[in-house]
Amino acid sequence: DNMSFYFASIAFYLNNWLIDISLQVYVLMFVLLTMSSLSLQDVGQLGSMLAAEWAVSMGIIAMLPRWFELTLEYGYFEGFVKFVPSIPGIMAAFTFINKSIASGVFEAMMTGEAKYIGTGRPNANTHYTWKQCYLLNCQTHYYPALEVFMWYIIYSSLNVQRDTASLPMFFILGTAAVWLVAPIIFCPQPTFSSLYKDLGEFWKFVVATPKVSVQHMPNPVEKSLHTEDSQATLYEMWLLKELQQHKKTFHRMPPLVHAGTLFWNILILFMLVGLVPASVFPFVWYLFVAFCFHWVCMECWRQSHRPELLVFAAFAVTFILPIVVSAMSTESMSANLFLAFMVLVQGLEAAKCFVLLVVRLWLTPDANWTQMNNETRADFEKREKAKWSNKLYDVLVEFFYVNCLTYELHLCRALIITFINLTVQVVMVLLDAACGLHSCILLNSNLGSSLGCFSFRRAYRPGGGSNSERAGIGCGGVGGNGVGGG
């Protein structure tokens, strides 16, 4: 009964979630130990198992059922031969899927809504785009992975500053890397033509912004934002999430919960200020000056019909310039810059949370104001007041979204993801050009058997064409339109 409860009930999903959060807690714990002047050697002298990275764990037992199944089907030797090469692919696939499950459980606990979570099982012949990958995985996989890498960079930089050894964390970083690259690795039918189309579509999605502000959009603002059609942009996608988050949670949860959120943000800020070394605070001032320049640039951006050049100028001063300066200097400066930036961002988040909470209590915006009655004059005035309150609150949310680095942080992450996708996709295209290795390993060995070396396949199209045309034989370059899945 206990085993059936674990494997066939909610305990399995909670276990996935606990394993997921333990990964980030593990890295963060070593950062805190290093900031407390405890080296890896000190941890080892205490007799702690944390002083070494473990490669063998109880999770390996989960692979045995597949080995037993292959043994029963093919015999001992052939089953073992089929089992061993499949280990890397299975590990990568289930590492990604289990992260999807853990993120879905966490979102359900936080929102009370059980939404469908894709577990990475699309049509094997359908090429999906980078934009689709981002929309599906940005919150569940991409952002947590980038956060793990950021904490590890801080951890290793602090250890270099103190001239002490650091834990390699190969398995932690490998898991985070799988979260980032698995969607592109398992994307079928890669060609240079599809790469060019994906890159162009995703770049337009990342850098484009609406030509008008929320203030000049018709009510309700949520329906005026492009988030799912071909004109969708990164700016509008995350702005819509900001608007929905503040309005929906305000009516669903009591004010005490929102006060608790504000208290939590302030507590994190004080913890950061109390934990970071004193050498970090001069860098906080330098970054604050850069933030003031960013503020001025974004105000000019608003007044000059939103040119993209000003966005990138503000982005360069706030993000790229400190990283370049850090790369040209010592490792200690790199760690100090990261920590100072975290203090600045958390301070802005606490200030934004406080102002929006006060305004919400004053305006009490109602996201369902369009459903109010409009029959009598009193109803009409009540509806117009709710309409005005929502519009004013929407304008304020967009103001903080732009000026408090929220949009720029999403932009920075999206640019990093663009570079990772481009690098991995180029490798996948070249592998597919080498006798169809990518499609052969990923989908079916028959897909690569008829391809010669450096022959690019045409994307699969249902019906029509001979087998040789579908395989891409004789294609000197990229065949067809190159978009996988047709």
Side-chain angles (χ1 to χ4, degrees):
D1 292 338
N2 292 335
M3 291 294 288
S4 64
F5 173 76
Y6 177 80
F7 284 104
S9 184
I10 194 173
F12 168 75
Y13 299 97
L14 290 176
N15 181 65
N16 273 283
W17 175 64
L18 291 173
I19 292 174
D20 178 59
I21 62 174
S22 67
L23 185 147
Q24 299 189 36
V25 171
Y26 181 82
V27 181
L28 182 58
M29 180 181 60
F30 277 95
V31 174
L32 295 176
L33 288 173
T34 306
M35 293 173 64
S36 303
S37 300
L38 287 175
S39 65
L40 195 61
Q41 183 179 2
D42 297 330
V43 176
Q45 289 176 352
L46 296 174
S48 174
M49 298 175 65
L50 296 174
E53 186 173 9
W54 290 75
V56 180
S57 66
M58 291 296 292
I60 295 179
I61 298 177
M63 294 191 297
L64 296 181
R66 173 171 169 77
W67 184 19
F68 295 157
E69 179 185 359
L70 292 175
T71 301
L72 291 173
E73 186 173 355
Y74 297 102
Y76 291 106
F77 180 75
E78 187 175 355
F80 182 78
V81 171
K82 289 180 176 293
F83 169 72
V84 173
S86 67
I87 292 177
I90 292 175
M91 289 179 62
F94 278 95
T95 297
F96 190 86
I97 292 173
N98 288 339
K99 176 60 178 173
S100 301
I101 295 173
S103 301
V105 172
F106 177 73
E107 183 179 359
M109 290 191 297
M110 295 300 295
T111 63
E113 298 178 358
K115 296 181 180 179
Y116 173 78
I117 300 294
T119 54
R121 293 175 293 179
N123 191 322
N125 286 322
T126 302
H127 177 92
Y128 45 85
T129 65
W130 296 3
K131 180 180 174 181
Q132 291 173 325
C133 288
Y134 181 85
L135 295 176
L136 287 173
N137 306 313
C138 59
Q139 289 181 288
T140 57
H141 296 80
Y142 290 159
Y143 283 16
L146 293 176
E147 185 176 345
V148 169
F149 278 107
M150 181 196 69
W151 282 117
Y152 184 78
I153 290 173
I154 294 174
Y155 166 67
S156 58
S157 300
L158 287 172
N159 279 286
V160 171
Q161 177 183 351
R162 291 169 170 78
D163 197 21
T164 56
S166 60
L167 203 65
M169 299 188 187
F170 291 121
F171 289 92
I172 301 295
L173 298 180
T175 300
V178 168
W179 295 347
L180 287 172
V181 304
I184 303 301
I185 292 178
F186 287 97
C187 182
Q189 309 285 355
T191 64
F192 279 115
S193 180
S194 64
L195 187 153
Y196 176 78
K197 182 178 180 180
D198 291 344
L199 178 60
E201 180 189 33
F202 191 64
W203 180 258
K204 180 182 178 181
F205 167 77
V206 170
V207 302
T209 56
K211 297 302 181 184
V212 296
S213 66
V214 166
Q215 184 177 359
H216 299 96
M217 291 182 181
N219 276 324
V221 173
E222 289 85 344
K223 294 184 179 180
S224 302
L225 296 172
H226 298 283
T227 56
E228 297 181 357
D229 55 16
S230 59
Q231 297 179 340
T233 63
L234 178 86
Y235 181 96
E236 293 171 285
M237 168 192 165
W238 287 108
L239 177 58
L240 178 63
K241 289 183 181 294
E242 288 279 319
L243 294 171
Q244 292 178 338
Q245 175 187 357
H246 292 295
K247 290 181 180 179
K248 287 185 177 181
T249 56
F250 180 77
H251 291 278
R252 186 182 301 157
M253 300 179 182
L256 185 61
V257 176
H258 298 280
T261 304
L262 173 61
F263 174 76
W264 176 250
N265 280 293
I266 296 175
L267 180 62
I268 293 177
L269 176 62
F270 276 100
M271 289 176 61
L272 281 173
V273 173
L275 287 172
V276 298
S279 58
V280 169
F281 294 104
F283 293 94
V284 177
W285 170 250
Y286 300 151
L287 289 175
F288 181 76
V289 173
F291 167 73
C292 293
F293 177 80
H294 161 271
W295 189 293
V296 172
C297 284
M298 298 315 293
E299 288 301 319
C300 295
W301 173 73
R302 283 194 180 92
Q303 302 300 324
S304 55
H305 304 289
R306 302 186 164 208
E308 296 175 358
L309 182 62
L310 285 176
V311 175
F312 278 96
F315 177 83
V317 173
T318 310
F319 292 92
I320 299 178
L321 185 60
I323 294 176
V324 172
V325 173
S326 173
M328 297 173 59
S329 58
T330 61
E331 292 288 341
S332 61
M333 186 175 180
S334 175
N336 288 337
L337 271 174
F338 270 106
L339 292 173
F341 189 77
M342 291 178 61
V343 172
L344 175 64
V345 171
Q346 187 59 38
L348 293 174
E349 183 66 24
K352 180 178 74 172
C353 186
F354 172 75
V355 174
L356 289 179
L357 176 60
V358 173
V359 173
R360 279 202 300 270
L361 294 174
W362 172 47
L363 294 176
T364 60
D366 187 358
N368 300 320
W369 67 269
T370 55
Q371 301 176 8
M372 291 182 176
N373 293 327
N374 195 21
E375 298 177 356
T376 65
R377 181 173 181 84
D379 291 337
F380 175 78
E381 292 178 352
K382 183 178 179 181
R383 190 175 188 272
E384 287 298 309
K385 181 180 179 181
K387 176 181 176 181
W388 174 83
S389 298
N390 273 271
K391 173 64 77 171
L392 183 59
Y393 186 74
D394 292 343
V395 171
L396 187 63
V397 169
E398 185 187 32
F399 175 82
F400 282 110
Y401 172 73
V402 172
N403 286 59
C404 288
L405 299 179
T406 304
Y407 167 60
E408 281 74 9
L409 284 171
H410 291 303
L411 179 62
C412 180
R413 296 185 186 109
L415 292 175
I416 295 174
I417 293 168
T418 303
F419 175 77
I420 294 173
N421 287 353
L422 177 62
T423 304
V424 177
Q425 189 77 78
V426 167
V427 174
M428 295 301 104
V429 172
L430 294 177
L431 283 177
D432 207 49
C435 301
L437 289 178
H438 175 264
S439 296
C440 178
I441 297 173
L442 180 64
L443 300 177
N444 193 306
S445 59
N446 295 327
L447 290 176
S449 59
S450 59
L451 281 177
C453 190
F454 297 106
S455 296
F456 296 92
R457 69 171 67 253
R458 288 186 176 94
Y460 172 78
R461 293 184 180 181
S466 64
N467 293 332
S468 61
E469 289 176 347
R470 294 175 187 175
I473 295 184
C475 298
V478 181
N481 60 9
V483 182

